[in-house]
């Protein structure tokens, strides 16, 4: 008896292209495996035999193959309309079975994976009749009725591990093969295919030009449903945040390697072109499987740590995996795209780097990107924010935001937080609330709004994320965590805020007031201690140090108190777990982290979503650089055609906090975003 094979079903309605998909997928798998292919049309007992065929297939084909034994089964003679000869299907390393009902309930106990192929009904009929028109056409309606009856009681599409929209353009086999590699049950069988991920080659070009980043993003990715702009919109010269303001990254999920992922409440959905795959389990465990090993090095002379990889956000509710309670958010807990090509802008050297994984179309993309960079550089102007598009009025009616907590309610929560501190349950509580608005979908252009935001409030970690029905526009000044390719780690928490003043003397006094404030220094130092502990879990002993304590940095609308903690990652440590050990940012929870998060759940009474999470990249060289998701506007498309906006705000509460001052602080933090939108903080 042979070892039990890995059995993969390819299911779908008639004419969805299952046979062609199975044959081409088998051809690709045969590069590394022995593959057997079984067609269900050989076993159905006639045009009215779907249900009986599924029963025969499960009992006489799958059951023995699953044991590693040959399967002997009775074929159907479609010309004689009666049972035909007895055939044998030998077990192989991988067995592909295709046909209507391949993933049926009776079959699933024997299957390692189910693929469901979708296709528009007119296309399906045309395909099926083009192949078997003479024999099939009189029975099309009869067979379709059986399919409908079967699927009404056995929702295979909903239970499938992989779904693919098969457009008959030749892309489906490669997309399905990539999707299958994410299924844990198939990992042992697909080791050669998984190993190919580490054989990637990078093509890179340096262009001595300083293109307008907004025009460049619009030119290259303006029509992409999923695209990311990690935007160092602050001037990289002459300010305290220069090191954090050097590089901008522009990318989408296009090209042969392009993928995207959404994770919600323990379920991960990965999209690969027109294919999608669903897996269960913790997000950080999934992230460890796709990132953290040095699969690609940067080109010679390239100064940035990003060498293509995953970009997007991690939402606050991922705290369920790091000691926090399980809270369900309205937005996904994580949204990332995989960029197999990107443009990286260097503000210091005034250069643009084009990066692309080596594929058949890489040369065409590099040529198009090169042309776009040259054109955007030619149209660069001295407009504010470094963008020829420039900051502008949002072009919409005034937005009316509503506060989740009234002034009285928020102050009451501050008092309760101070009670928890007095009881010894916490030392510091980073209490947050949210401002929300609902509007017609066309009333606010998210792209123009982001340009207004970056023009009014430039920041070293600004970002614009577009994930279909979800858009994130952030002007964050705060680094959450950086892990360099060589293992250097850095966190730069912000705690302590004062607003800017148009009068230079008054502005200088506000900056000095923050710098000398015992309360703000205490808040900051408590978070520094928390992060020193977080980093120490994966750091080389003795490598954790504080290189900057309670320094003041000034931005367009606020002064901030910032500290820097450095460490070195222990060799061989899983990098995704090192990120998880620090997540969520201590500056957004308080200390001690786990018990304070539980207090916050009770006080806030609502999920935070994207806000308080992290935005950034996970690079193929093992590097990551993540910002704290603050000063962040989240826009979601709603079922009725409208859109919802959300802006999170908050501040650290200590024993000596003044409720009135804390309330004024959240107004100050919201000002930069609200003013760019032509909105005001809601009264009361």
């Amino acid at each position: 008896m042979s070892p039990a094979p890995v059995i993969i079903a390819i299911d779908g309605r008639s004419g969805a292209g299952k046979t062609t998909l199975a044959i081409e997928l088998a051809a690709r798998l045969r590069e590394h495996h022995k593959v057997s292919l079984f067609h269900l049309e050989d076993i159905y007992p006639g045009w009215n035999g779907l249900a009986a065929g599924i029963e025969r297939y499960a009992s006489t084909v799958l059951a023995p193959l699953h044991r590693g034994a040959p399967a002997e089964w009775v074929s159907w003679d479609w010309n004689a309309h009666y049972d035909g000869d007895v055939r044998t299907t030998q077990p192989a390393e991988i067995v592909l079975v295709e046909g209507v009902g391949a993933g049926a309930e009776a079959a699933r106990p024997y299957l390692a994976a189910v693929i469901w192929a979708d296709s528009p009904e007119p296309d399906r009929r045309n395909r099926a009749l083009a192949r078997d028109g003479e024999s099939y056409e009189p029975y099309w309606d009869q067979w379709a009725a059986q399919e409908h009856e079967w699927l009404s009681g056995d929702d295979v599409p909903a239970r499938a591990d992989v779904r693919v929209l098969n457009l008959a353009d030749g892309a489906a086999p490669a997309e399905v093969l990539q999707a299958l590699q994410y299924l844990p049950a198939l990992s042992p069988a697909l080791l050669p295919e998984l190993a190919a991920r580490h054989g990637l080659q990078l093509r890179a070009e340096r262009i001595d030009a300083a293109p307008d980043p907004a025009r460049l993003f619009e030119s290259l990715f303006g029509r992409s449903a999923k695209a990311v702009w990690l935007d160092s919109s602050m001037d990289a010269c002459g300010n305290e945040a220069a090191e954090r303001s050097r590089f901008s990254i522009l990318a989408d999920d296009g090209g042969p390697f392009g993928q995207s992922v959404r994770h919600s409440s323990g379920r991960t959905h990965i999209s690969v072109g027109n294919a999608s795959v669903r897996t269960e389990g913790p997000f950080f465990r999934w992230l460890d499987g796709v990132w953290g090993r040095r699969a690609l090095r940067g080109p010679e002379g390239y100064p940035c740590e990003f060498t293509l990889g995953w970009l997007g956000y991690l939402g606050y509710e991922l705290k369920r995996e790091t000691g926090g309670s399980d809270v369900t958010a309205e937005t996904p807990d994580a949204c990332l795209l995989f960029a197999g090509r990107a443009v990286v802008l260097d503000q210091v050297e005034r250069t643009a780097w084009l990066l692309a994984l080596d594929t058949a179309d890489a040369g065409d993309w590099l040529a198009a990107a090169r042309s776009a960079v040259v054109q955007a550089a030619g149209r660069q102007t001295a407009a504010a924010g470094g963008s020829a598009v420039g900051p502008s009025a949002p072009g919409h009616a005034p937005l009316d935001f509503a506060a989740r907590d009234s002034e009285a309610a928020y102050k009451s929560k501050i008092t309760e937080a101070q009670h928890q501190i007095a009881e010894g349950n916490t030392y510091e509580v980073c209490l947050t609330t949210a401002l929300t608005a609902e509007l017609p979908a066309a009333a606010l252009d998210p792209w123009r709004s982001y340009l207004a935001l970056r023009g009014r409030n430039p920041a070293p970690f600004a970002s614009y994320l577009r994930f279909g029905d979800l858009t994130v526009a952030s002007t964050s000044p705060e680094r959450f965590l950086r892990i360099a390719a060589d293992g250097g780690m850095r966190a730069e928490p912000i705690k302590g805020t004062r607003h800017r003043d148009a009068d230079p003397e008054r502005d200088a006094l506000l900056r000095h007031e923050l710098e000398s404030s015992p309360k703000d220094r205490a808040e900051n130092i408590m978070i520094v201690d928390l992060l020193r502990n977080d980093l120490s879990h994966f750091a080389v002993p003795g490598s954790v140090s504080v290189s900057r304590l309670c320094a003041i940095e000034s931005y367009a609308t606020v002064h901030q108190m910032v500290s820097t903690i450095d460490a070195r990652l222990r060799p061989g440590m899983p990098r995704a777990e090192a990120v998880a050990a620090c997540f969520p940012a201590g500056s957004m929870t308080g200390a001690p982290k786990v018990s304070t998060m539980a207090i916050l759940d009770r006080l806030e009474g609502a999920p935070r979503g994207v806000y308080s999470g992290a935005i950034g990249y996970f690079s193929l060289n093992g590097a990551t650089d993540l910002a704290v998701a603050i000063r962040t506007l989240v826009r979601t498309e709603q079922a009725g055609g409208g859109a919802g906006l959300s802006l999170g705000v908050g501040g650290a509460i200590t024993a000596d906090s003044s409720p009135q001052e804390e309330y004024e602080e959240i107004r100050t933090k919201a000002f930069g975003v609200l003013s760019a939108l032509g909105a005001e903080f809601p009264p009361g």
Side-chain angles (χ1 to χ4, degrees):
M1 186 173 293
S2 303
V6 172
I7 306 176
I8 302 171
I10 303 174
D11 206 338
R13 292 179 180 271
S14 292
K18 301 181 296 300
T19 302
T20 301
L21 175 60
I23 291 171
E24 295 188 11
L25 188 59
R28 292 170 184 266
L29 289 168
R30 285 187 178 116
E31 293 180 21
H32 304 289
H33 312 277
K34 293 182 178 179
V35 179
S36 178
L37 184 56
F38 178 81
H39 304 283
L40 264 73
E41 66 178 20
D42 294 334
I43 203 172
Y44 301 129
W47 291 108
N48 199 36
L50 176 58
I54 291 173
E55 184 179 343
R56 281 189 179 191
Y57 148 69
S59 60
T60 65
V61 178
L62 291 184
L65 287 177
H66 187 259
R67 299 192 303 269
E72 293 188 353
W73 48 277
V74 178
S75 66
W76 182 255
D77 188 328
W78 290 94
N79 293 317
H81 298 282
Y82 202 74
D83 284 343
D85 55 356
V86 176
R87 300 183 187 178
T88 301
T89 298
Q90 297 292 338
E93 185 182 354
I94 296 175
V95 176
L96 297 179
V97 293
E98 70 82 16
V100 180
E105 183 177 10
R108 286 198 287 272
Y110 306 110
L111 302 174
V114 175
I115 301 164
W116 178 267
D118 281 313
S119 192
E121 184 171 356
D123 291 351
R124 291 192 295 103
R125 181 183 177 92
N126 291 338
R127 284 181 194 165
L129 298 186
R131 189 187 69 175
D132 299 310
E134 290 185 8
S135 58
Y136 196 175
E137 188 166 16
Y139 301 100
W140 173 266
D141 291 335
Q142 179 182 347
W143 188 264
Q146 290 179 86
E147 290 180 355
H148 178 76
E149 182 180 359
W150 160 57
L151 289 172
S152 65
D154 185 1
D155 192 355
V156 178
R159 294 175 174 83
D161 301 288
V162 176
R163 293 189 66 165
V164 60
L165 180 60
N166 192 356
L167 300 177
D169 57 0
E175 292 170 350
V176 168
L177 184 56
Q178 284 193 66
L180 289 172
Q181 294 170 37
Y182 286 108
L183 295 175
L186 296 186
S187 295
L190 298 182
L191 281 176
E193 286 77 12
L194 289 166
R197 292 184 185 176
H198 304 294
L200 303 173
Q201 298 294 320
L202 178 66
R203 296 180 62 175
E205 292 184 20
R206 169 183 163 144
I207 302 173
D208 291 320
D212 174 83
R215 290 199 184 280
L216 182 60
F217 185 84
E218 274 198 292
S219 175
L220 287 175
F221 309 120
R223 291 178 293 277
S224 301
K226 298 168 187 173
V228 168
W229 178 12
L230 301 183
D231 174 24
S232 292
S233 59
M234 197 169 188
D235 185 357
C237 302
N239 65 73
E240 303 96 330
E243 179 271 333
R244 303 194 298 279
S245 304
R246 181 173 178 179
F247 300 107
S248 293
I249 301 168
L250 299 77
D252 72 354
D253 65 342
F257 283 95
Q259 301 167 49
S260 64
V261 61
R262 288 190 175 207
H263 179 94
S264 293
S265 299
R267 178 169 290 177
T268 303
H269 290 263
I270 305 106
S271 297
V272 184
N274 288 309
S276 62
V277 59
R278 180 185 65 197
T279 65
E280 305 284 341
F283 173 80
F284 285 108
R285 183 186 301 164
W286 177 88
L287 183 63
D288 186 57
V290 300
W291 170 74
R293 296 160 185 83
R294 300 188 67 171
L296 201 63
R297 297 180 183 273
E300 185 175 353
Y302 176 63
C304 182
E305 288 276 332
F306 177 73
T307 58
L308 301 178
W310 297 93
L311 309 99
Y313 78 80
L314 313 182
Y316 177 76
E317 271 65 48
L318 283 177
K319 67 184 176 65
R320 72 169 62 84
E321 299 180 20
T322 63
S325 58
D326 187 356
V327 177
T328 301
E330 294 180 3
T331 51
D333 295 330
C335 275
L336 301 172
L337 63 80
F338 183 85
R341 54 202 191 185
V343 179
V344 178
L345 305 180
D346 184 342
Q347 285 202 80
V348 172
E349 295 188 359
R350 296 181 65 78
T351 57
W353 285 84
L354 312 182
L355 308 178
L357 294 177
D358 193 10
T359 61
D361 68 344
D364 293 338
W365 183 84
L366 288 168
R370 188 185 313 119
S371 176
V373 167
V374 171
Q375 289 182 6
R379 300 176 70 178
Q380 175 68 286
T381 72
S387 169
V389 175
S392 61
H396 56 73
L399 297 176
D400 291 324
F401 279 87
R404 189 173 71 206
D405 297 298
S406 66
E407 179 176 354
Y410 191 73
K411 289 178 178 177
S412 175
K413 291 181 178 182
I414 292 172
T415 301
E416 175 58 26
Q418 290 176 316
H419 173 71
Q420 294 294 328
I421 294 169
E423 291 292 307
N425 298 324
T426 180
Y427 305 112
E428 180 178 3
V429 179
C430 296
L431 181 66
T432 77
T433 187
L435 310 180
T436 59
E438 294 186 4
L439 63 159
L444 182 72
D445 180 355
W447 173 241
R448 291 189 64 190
S449 299
Y450 176 66
L451 295 180
L453 281 175
R454 77 184 294 266
R456 194 72 61 92
N457 190 30
F461 290 109
S463 57
Y464 178 74
L465 317 178
R466 187 165 60 224
F467 287 98
D469 60 353
L470 172 67
T471 306
V472 178
S474 177
T475 55
S476 174
E478 182 176 358
R479 170 177 276 146
F480 162 48
L481 178 66
R482 183 186 72 184
I483 303 177
D486 66 3
M489 295 195 289
R490 170 167 288 185
E492 295 182 279
I494 290 177
K495 266 288 158 272
T497 304
R498 294 293 186 277
H499 68 84
R500 298 296 303 270
D501 197 282
D503 176 26
E505 291 188 7
R506 175 62 183 157
D507 193 59
L509 284 173
L510 287 166
R511 179 181 171 117
H512 176 72
E513 177 187 302
L514 176 60
E515 189 174 27
S516 57
S517 165
K519 171 188 174 294
D520 289 295
R521 288 181 66 87
E523 289 179 10
N524 197 292
I525 290 169
M526 276 190 273
I527 300 305
V528 167
D529 285 342
L530 186 155
L531 280 165
R532 289 173 64 227
N533 179 69
D534 286 348
L535 290 172
S536 70
H537 294 303
F538 287 83
V540 173
S543 70
V544 180
S545 64
V546 180
S547 57
R548 194 171 58 142
L549 185 64
C550 297
I552 306 301
E553 293 184 354
S554 297
Y555 297 87
T557 60
V558 291
H559 300 294
Q560 305 267 211
M561 184 177 284
V562 187
S563 294
T564 302
I565 306 101
D566 291 306
R568 180 153 294 278
L569 185 68
R570 277 183 284 163
M573 288 293 101
R575 296 189 173 212
E577 292 303 317
V579 174
C582 299
F583 190 89
S587 60
M588 299 306 297
T589 62
K593 183 184 288 187
V594 173
S595 60
T596 305
M597 286 193 294
I599 292 170
L600 287 167
D601 285 341
R602 296 194 299 272
L603 287 177
E604 295 176 359
R608 295 184 183 181
V610 180
Y611 173 62
S612 299
I615 297 172
Y617 67 74
F618 301 93
S619 173
L620 288 173
N621 63 354
T624 182
D625 204 354
L626 301 167
V628 181
I630 55 176
R631 320 290 197 271
T632 297
L633 186 70
V634 179
R635 183 183 190 273
T636 54
E637 304 292 336
Q638 296 179 335
L645 297 179
S646 176
L647 174 66
V649 287
I653 311 303
T654 60
D656 57 353
S657 288
S658 159
Q660 183 59 41
E661 290 177 0
E662 294 294 344
Y663 186 71
E664 290 304 319
E665 182 172 322
I666 67 170
R667 292 173 60 91
T668 296
K669 290 176 176 176
F671 175 77
V673 175
L674 294 179
S675 62
L677 299 175
E680 297 182 351
F681 198 96

